[in-house]
Amino acid sequence: MAVISARATAQDYANPDYVKSDYRNNLQPASTFYLGFGGGINHYLGLIGPSVEFQLAEKITVFGGAGLGSWGSKLSFGARYYANYPGKWAFGLGYSVSSGLDHIEFDMPEGYVQNHSSTVKVPFKLKSASTVNLSALRFWTLGKARKNRFNVELGYAVSVAEDRYVIKDSNYELMPAGRYFMNVLQPGGVTLGLGFSFGMN
């Protein structure tokens, strides 16, 4: 009987489906709550900031975060759909608000400001600016327990409104090139970011 049992066990482990099933059964459950950090270009965390994510259903999570960017501090929230939680591909929809700045100065080159033929320093007040964020994320789980993750994010942030700034000195008026420059600086456009997250349970 021992010989028959040994043969059966050997045959089981020779079966790829059995090995995959045995491997899955021995994995620890995925975390339902993640803390992390990340950042990037037009990223929902700004240049860098912390994030949280909580699993609501098998393939759906909600997330939030805060960070610092070129348009002041940023707060964000949204939801994600996962093809295979907690790793591989996810698709997100979110909303971000950047606080703006009371005072900042930009060096505006020739052709950006009317009646100025050389570079001039122009003072601005940056108003709060909002974006609707669409993104695709690729996650890789790390470690034997699959509790930690690294991700790359690509997407697009749609500006809710343009021209979210005020020139603080009435002696300056922007030309079309200057207005284009300011709208490029404002949150919105192609999103590219990186992130790490750590399973808390």
Side-chain angles (χ1 to χ4, degrees):
M1 295 294 294
V3 174
I4 295 175
S5 176
R7 287 178 178 173
T9 302
Q11 290 174 353
D12 286 338
Y13 280 97
N15 184 340
D17 293 333
Y18 179 88
V19 173
K20 291 178 181 178
S21 175
D22 182 66
Y23 173 75
R24 293 193 190 100
N25 290 337
N26 282 283
L27 286 175
Q28 296 184 21
S31 294
T32 59
F33 178 63
Y34 283 90
L35 290 178
F37 66 92
I41 301 171
N42 286 316
H43 195 262
Y44 77 97
L45 295 176
L47 297 176
I48 190 169
S51 65
V52 297
E53 186 172 7
F54 180 75
Q55 185 183 22
L56 283 184
E58 181 181 358
K59 295 185 177 184
I60 297 175
T61 67
V62 291
F63 68 90
L68 295 174
S70 60
W71 213 263
S73 59
K74 179 177 283 191
L75 292 174
S76 302
F77 63 90
R80 291 179 182 139
Y81 171 83
Y82 281 80
N84 185 20
Y85 182 85
K88 298 187 178 180
W89 289 99
F91 303 93
L93 175 64
Y95 186 82
S96 297
V97 179
S98 296
S99 65
L101 295 168
D102 285 334
H103 181 84
I104 190 171
E105 296 181 354
F106 293 116
D107 289 326
M108 309 296 279
E110 180 182 356
Y112 281 41
V113 181
Q114 288 190 6
N115 302 321
H116 287 81
S117 58
S118 60
T119 299
V120 60
K121 192 179 292 292
V122 181
F124 291 89
K125 176 182 179 179
L126 306 183
K127 300 179 181 179
S128 63
S130 301
T131 60
V132 175
N133 311 316
L134 307 172
S135 62
L137 304 93
R138 179 61 165 92
F139 286 88
W140 290 269
T141 53
L142 307 174
K144 293 182 179 180
R146 301 174 64 217
K147 295 294 185 180
N148 303 323
R149 304 180 302 175
F150 166 75
N151 75 272
V152 175
E153 181 173 356
L154 180 65
Y156 197 87
V158 181
S159 296
V160 174
E162 294 185 345
D163 300 329
R164 300 296 297 162
Y165 60 87
V166 173
I167 300 175
K168 300 181 72 172
D169 188 332
S170 59
N171 291 319
Y172 300 113
E173 183 177 352
L174 297 183
M175 298 174 66
R179 292 193 294 271
Y180 176 78
F181 171 77
M182 291 302 298
N183 282 323
V184 169
L185 286 182
Q186 181 179 318
V190 174
T191 299
L192 179 62
L194 302 174
F196 288 92
S197 51
F198 307 94
M200 296 289 105
N201 58 3

